[in-house]
Amino acid sequence: MLKEATIETLDAVKQQIRQEGPELFHIEGGQAETLSERRFAYEPANALPMAGFNVARDVAAEKIKATSKNAV
């Protein structure tokens, strides 16, 4: 459903997903807030509420550079 969404239909698709599976979305504020429980594989570029991340941005960037050099 989301893969077929266009810029014109995105809001309607998100609303449908919220109705069919409200547990799929994080709660952004209040006592039931869940954003701070997230754990990312890679460090986000922006400051976000989170429990942590597995790979720092600078380490991930170095791995990308090394991989692209090997691909050439």
Side-chain angles (χ1 to χ4, degrees), residues 7-47:
I7 195 71
E8 293 83 17
T9 63
L10 186 58
D11 288 336
V13 169
K14 287 194 303 189
Q15 184 62 30
Q16 183 177 351
I17 293 171
R18 282 186 199 281
Q19 289 172 350
E20 293 176 5
E23 72 283 355
L24 300 173
F25 289 85
H26 283 285
I27 298 170
E28 296 182 22
Q31 290 185 332
E33 179 270 327
T34 60
L35 288 173
S36 61
E37 297 173 10
R38 298 181 296 181
R39 182 154 190 92
F40 292 93
Y42 296 97
E43 180 182 8
N46 302 321

Side-chain angles (χ1 to χ4, degrees), residues 27-72:
I27 298 170
E28 296 182 22
Q31 290 185 332
E33 179 270 327
T34 60
L35 288 173
S36 61
E37 297 173 10
R38 298 181 296 181
R39 182 154 190 92
F40 292 93
Y42 296 97
E43 180 182 8
N46 302 321
L48 299 169
M50 66 176 142
F53 53 86
N54 299 329
V55 180
R57 269 194 312 269
D58 56 342
V59 172
E62 288 303 317
K63 287 182 180 180
I64 291 169
K65 286 178 189 175
T67 303
S68 62
K69 286 180 184 177
N70 293 337
V72 174

